Amino acid sequence: MDFMATKIPKKPVLPASPPSVGSNDSVVLERRTQKVKPPQMFQVVLLNDDFTPMEFVVYVIQEFFSKDRETATQIMLKIHLEGKGICGVYSRDVASTKVDQVTQASREAGHPLQCVSEPVE
Ligand code: TYC
């Protein structure tokens, strides 16, 4: 039987500031602020057009954004009525891949559906 070497990930530790000595020999430890920001996230948005069938948009939202049929239909109708709608929020690479996959599937099916990603503010 094979055993995999596993390591329990450690909590990241902030570098401690060098202790400084106060005027009366007291030791002063300053609290450092967090330096690592969470990564920028990207929302993947579908745009409305006059030609792509509603059924195809519902299929795309289910297939590429893992939504159930009811949720996908609601998102599609929002896009149809308001012009655009968010289908999901991902890291930069995943969002970019979603845009490519949706665009390829749409062109292969002969539809002009537009899919873009934009940074979440
Ligand atoms: N407006 C399209 C129609 O009436 C439907 C549609 C919805 C198209 C959402 C694109 O992202 C879209 N057939």
Side-chain angles (χ1 to χ4, degrees):
M1 193 194 273
D2 286 339
F3 289 99
M4 288 213 324
T6 55
K7 242 183 165 182
I8 298 165
K10 283 201 191 119
K11 263 191 174 178
V13 178
L14 290 175
S17 65
S20 57
V21 180
S23 53
N24 55 356
D25 279 358
S26 57
V27 176
V28 180
L29 292 175
E30 281 172 37
R31 196 180 284 279
R32 289 248 165 124
T33 49
Q34 176 66 272
K35 278 186 186 156
V36 181
K37 284 188 286 173
Q40 171 81 72
M41 298 300 278
F42 290 74
Q43 55 197 30
V44 178
V45 171
L46 286 180
L47 306 180
N48 189 35
D49 66 70
D50 292 337
F51 306 103
T52 305
M54 290 182 174
E55 187 54 45
F56 182 77
V57 179
V58 172
Y59 156 77
V60 160
I61 297 170
Q62 282 185 265
E63 206 63 22
F64 295 99
F65 302 99
S66 307
K67 305 294 190 213
D68 61 37
R69 189 161 181 82
E70 201 179 308
T71 306
T73 304
Q74 285 170 1
I75 296 172
M76 181 280 295
L77 284 174
K78 180 184 166 69
I79 302 165
H80 177 71
L81 295 171
E82 298 177 17
K84 65 192 271 195
I86 299 167
C87 296
V89 177
Y90 307 95
S91 64
R92 180 192 297 272
D93 286 359
V94 174
S96 170
T97 300
K98 299 274 177 202
V99 169
D100 291 348
Q101 289 173 334
V102 169
T103 303
Q104 185 179 348
S106 300
R107 297 305 166 270
E108 279 173 12
H111 302 309
L113 182 61
Q114 296 288 315
C115 181
V116 298
S117 76
E118 45 193 49
V120 177
E121 67 299 333

